[in-house]
Amino acid sequence: MRSSNIFSPLFFAAAAAAAAFFQGVDGFQVSPMHSTGTRLSGLPLSSLRTSTSPRQSSRLYGATDDDNQWDESPNDPKEDLGFFDSIKSWFRSEEGREDVRTYSTSLALALILRLLVIEPRYIPSLSMYPTFEVGDQLAVEKVTKRIRPLERNEVVVFNPPIAFRQVLEGSYSVSPTETAQKAREALIKRIVAVAGDKVEVTGGRLYINGVKQDEPFTAENAAYEFGPVLVPAGKYLVLGDNRNHSLDGHIWGFLPEGNVIGRAVFIYWP
């Protein structure tokens, strides 16, 4: 049992609180004890003997007639405030108002960046192996898709189309709850063809407009046949780099342009 790790801080906190209390009493000082007798403020017991001298009888430890050695000093009004009263007092202070403005501005900027500019994503599967591995943290940039069109070989993050859900419901033994959850999760794939391209996968290789593509980023050659098909306007064909272990466009079809969230620009962790 490691109870010492719990009670030791409590003990020291209680000791500190007691010390703080007694330090607030005017004239009180903790004095060491010795074998020759107990000393108060470092004075021997002999110094406390009564005397006929008015000076000695009225001035113990250098006190004056008006001094009261055991009167507590007035409490600071702030010490009497409760927890919630302290928070209210902090909010009313200039320092509190400045902190609130700073935190509010920082939070607003972070939300705007997250919503409109860039957002973090992580890789949950090996469908994009070896380019990305499970657990990789990506930065997804959302701005440039509105400025310049997406191109072949770019990696994009997107919301699954309706056809993806239909495939899950029809061809895979997935419960309705799991289907609904997966249909809401963003996917990441590579664009291999854009609108107007003629696409075919044969002999394990990808052909775009009759030209065999050099794809050093794939894990292996495709073990399926696909096409030839023509990519319609406003659509993309996306495939996973791990061609034989990816639920991608060769199964559920084309990706609508409006489903794209943004480009995957770099890995920031690990």
Side-chain angles (χ1 to χ4, degrees), residues 226-249:
F226 176 76
V229 294
L230 188 67
V231 181
K235 302 289 183 66
Y236 304 102
L237 180 66
V238 295
L239 300 177
D241 289 350
N242 197 357
R243 291 289 157 84
N244 299 318
H245 303 278
S246 176
L247 181 58
D248 52 30

Side-chain angles (χ1 to χ4, degrees), residues 130-145:
T131 304
F132 303 118
E133 298 190 14
V134 174
D136 283 351
Q137 307 287 319
L138 308 177
V140 180
E141 178 269 315
K142 301 179 176 183
V143 177
T144 57
K145 70 174 184 178

Side-chain angles (χ1 to χ4, degrees), residues 127 129-130 192 199-207 212-227 237-246 248-251:
S127 67
Y129 180 82
V192 298
V199 186
E200 183 178 10
V201 177
T202 183
R205 303 303 299 271
L206 173 68
Y207 291 82
K212 184 171 66 174
Q213 302 299 299
D214 181 23
E215 299 180 297
F217 41 76
T218 57
E220 56 189 353
N221 290 340
Y224 55 81
E225 300 289 319
F226 176 76
L237 180 66
V238 295
L239 300 177
D241 289 350
N242 197 357
R243 291 289 157 84
N244 299 318
H245 303 278
S246 176
D248 52 30
H250 87 277
I251 297 175

Side-chain angles (χ1 to χ4, degrees), residues 36 56 61 63 87 115 156 190 214 239 259:
T36 56
Q56 291 182 348
Y61 315 127
I87 293 178
L115 182 64
V156 293
R190 188 182 299 273
D214 181 23
L239 300 177
N259 286 46

Side-chain angles (χ1 to χ4, degrees), residues 91-158:
F91 272 109
R92 294 191 187 102
S93 67
E94 182 62 30
E95 179 185 1
R97 289 193 292 269
E98 183 64 27
D99 288 344
V100 169
R101 284 193 295 267
T102 301
Y103 298 149
S104 300
T105 302
S106 300
L107 178 60
L109 289 175
L111 291 176
I112 291 173
L113 288 174
R114 173 71 167 75
L115 182 64
L116 301 176
V117 181
I118 194 167
E119 69 177 58
R121 293 279 180 172
Y122 78 96
I123 302 296
S125 71
L126 288 173
S127 67
M128 285 297 291
Y129 180 82
T131 304
F132 303 118
E133 298 190 14
V134 174
D136 283 351
Q137 307 287 319
L138 308 177
V140 180
E141 178 269 315
K142 301 179 176 183
V143 177
T144 57
K145 70 174 184 178
R146 300 181 178 89
I147 301 174
R148 60 183 177 86
L150 298 171
E151 300 176 352
R152 300 188 199 101
N153 293 333
E154 288 189 309
V155 178
V156 293
V157 175
F158 56 92

